[in-house]
Amino acid sequence: TKASLLFGSTWIVSSVTIAALLVLILLANAISARVGERGFHFAYLGLFVVLGLNYAIPRRDWFLGLPGGIGPPLAALVFTIPALFAGIIFAVSFRRAEDLSGALGANLLGAVPGALLESTSFALGIRAVILFAMALYLASYGAWAIGDRKRVNRLVPAG
C-alpha cells in the first residue's frame, strides 16, 4: 500500500516489488554461499539496521521529492532490503539444520503467523509491524545462540 503511493499503479507496484524481492533472494543465496556462517551475525545486524531505518522514516512520500527519479527505486530498495538479510539468515540456518524437512516445515509454519501479523498493519500501522518483526528476529537470534551453545557443548567432550 505504501509503494502504491510512490508508483501509482497496482501492476507497477507488483512488478517492482516482486522483481526486487526475487533479486534480493538470489543475492542472499549468493552471499550466504560465499561467506557462510561468517555472515550470519552481519545479516542479523544488517536486518536490525534496515528495519530501524524503515521504522525511522516518518513518511513514505518524501521519496517522491528526491531528484532525478531516484526516489521510487530507492524506496523499493529500502522497503525490500530486509528480505536480503532475512534470506541470508534463512540460508545459513537451513544449511546448519540437522533435520532439513523439519526446518523447512517450521519455516512454512512460521509464514502463517507472519502473514497474520502483517495483516495487523491495517489496524496498528506498518511501524508497529516493524517493531513486531524486530522483536521476533531478536527472539530468533536468541534461540539460535542458545541452540548454538548446546551444539558446541555436544561436540566438545566433557572433562
Side-chain angles (χ1 to χ4, degrees):
T1 58
K2 302 295 183 190
S4 65
L5 293 173
L6 296 169
F7 300 115
S9 166
T10 322
W11 290 104
I12 295 172
V13 169
S14 296
S15 63
V16 167
T17 303
I18 290 170
L21 287 172
L22 289 174
V23 167
L24 290 173
I25 291 168
L26 182 64
L27 188 58
N29 283 310
I31 290 171
S32 68
R34 183 145 173 95
V35 299
E37 291 188 27
R38 294 175 299 165
F40 194 67
H41 301 288
F42 168 74
Y44 269 104
L45 178 63
L47 182 63
F48 285 116
V49 167
V50 296
L51 286 175
L53 178 63
N54 271 292
Y55 183 81
I57 296 172
R59 293 177 23 167
R60 307 297 191 224
D61 60 349
W62 72 266
F63 285 105
L64 291 174
L66 295 176
I70 191 83
L74 183 61
L77 181 66
V78 168
F79 298 149
T80 58
I81 198 91
L84 171 70
F85 296 111
I88 294 169
I89 292 166
F90 173 78
V92 172
S93 298
F94 191 73
R95 188 178 306 121
R96 294 184 67 191
E98 294 173 11
D99 176 19
L100 295 181
S101 61
L104 186 58
N107 184 62
L108 292 173
L109 187 62
V112 174
L116 293 173
L117 186 60
E118 184 181 359
S119 296
T120 64
S121 69
F122 296 119
L124 303 176
I126 196 70
R127 295 179 83 209
V129 174
I130 292 170
L131 291 177
F132 286 140
M134 291 174 87
L136 289 171
Y137 271 106
L138 184 62
S140 80
Y141 186 74
W144 174 84
I146 291 168
D148 195 49
R149 194 171 305 133
K150 287 180 181 178
R151 189 181 87 140
V152 167
N153 288 341
R154 278 194 317 242
L155 297 175
V156 177

